[in-house]
Amino acid sequence: MSSKPTLLDHHHHQQQQQSQNMIRLKSSGLSNGSPTIDCDDELSRSALFAFRAKEEEITQKKMAVKQRVEAQLGRVEQETKKLVEIRNDLEALEDPSWKEAAVVRKKVDSVNKELKSLGQNCHKKEKEYREAVEAFNDKNKEKGQLVTRLMELVTESERVRTKKLEEISKQIESFVKI
């Protein structure tokens, strides 16, 4: 470290001198109703000047910080306004589509219910159709069997009648020969 006195050292020295001067002022008491001052005027003026300079520096720093805070608050206020506008824009964009989507969803649900009902009805009708086709095919098969039996009966009947006719014819011929 260097042994050069710094601005801080000078300031510290001045503050010590001011404190000593203040102590002297307080300890000197009153003489003839007025305070007595033990320090010389130049030292007092120097201390007063240093005090005023420090006060001025502090005031300037305070003003600078205050200006920075106000500027920051202004930016924050502007950003807040922008964010509010963006949020409003988002709400305006989402709201109509959300409402329309909700309406479409309700319609989809309604159509799904109708489809379910129609699907159940369709399955019922398909089952009834299969049963009707099966009944139709069974009756058609039964009819075929009956027609086949009828043909057999007719054929058998014709054969039996033809045979009887032949027998009767032979009998008649045998009577005619006599």
Side-chain angles (χ1 to χ4, degrees), residues 60-76:
Q60 287 176 356
K61 284 182 180 180
K62 181 180 171 184
M63 291 301 290
V65 170
K66 185 178 178 181
Q67 287 173 350
R68 285 182 18 222
V69 167
E70 287 176 359
Q72 191 68 14
L73 285 173
R75 282 193 293 274
V76 167

Side-chain angles (χ1 to χ4, degrees), residues 101-121:
V103 168
V104 170
R105 262 190 304 243
K106 285 181 182 179
K107 288 181 180 179
V108 167
D109 290 342
S110 175
V111 168
N112 275 340
K113 287 178 185 176
E114 290 176 27
L115 281 173
K116 185 177 179 181
S117 175
L118 290 171
Q120 289 172 343
N121 194 21

Side-chain angles (χ1 to χ4, degrees), residues 24-111:
R24 278 189 231 139
L25 280 172
K26 287 182 181 178
S27 64
S28 66
L30 295 173
S31 129
N32 296 334
S34 65
T36 59
I37 300 176
D38 284 347
C39 61
D40 60 20
D41 270 349
E42 193 172 314
L43 187 59
S44 294
R45 277 185 263 153
S46 174
L48 186 60
F49 178 75
F51 175 75
R52 285 182 182 159
K54 202 59 164 161
E55 283 297 315
E56 182 66 30
E57 183 183 339
I58 289 171
T59 302
Q60 287 176 356
K61 284 182 180 180
K62 181 180 171 184
M63 291 301 290
V65 170
K66 185 178 178 181
Q67 287 173 350
R68 285 182 18 222
V69 167
E70 287 176 359
Q72 191 68 14
L73 285 173
R75 282 193 293 274
V76 167
E77 189 176 318
Q78 288 174 350
E79 293 300 320
T80 301
K81 286 179 183 178
K82 286 180 186 176
L83 287 173
V84 167
E85 287 176 12
I86 290 170
R87 183 183 63 200
N88 290 340
D89 288 346
L90 281 173
E91 287 174 1
L93 283 175
E94 290 179 24
D95 196 37
S97 64
W98 179 83
K99 287 179 181 178
E100 186 178 346
V103 168
V104 170
R105 262 190 304 243
K106 285 181 182 179
K107 288 181 180 179
V108 167
D109 290 342
S110 175
V111 168

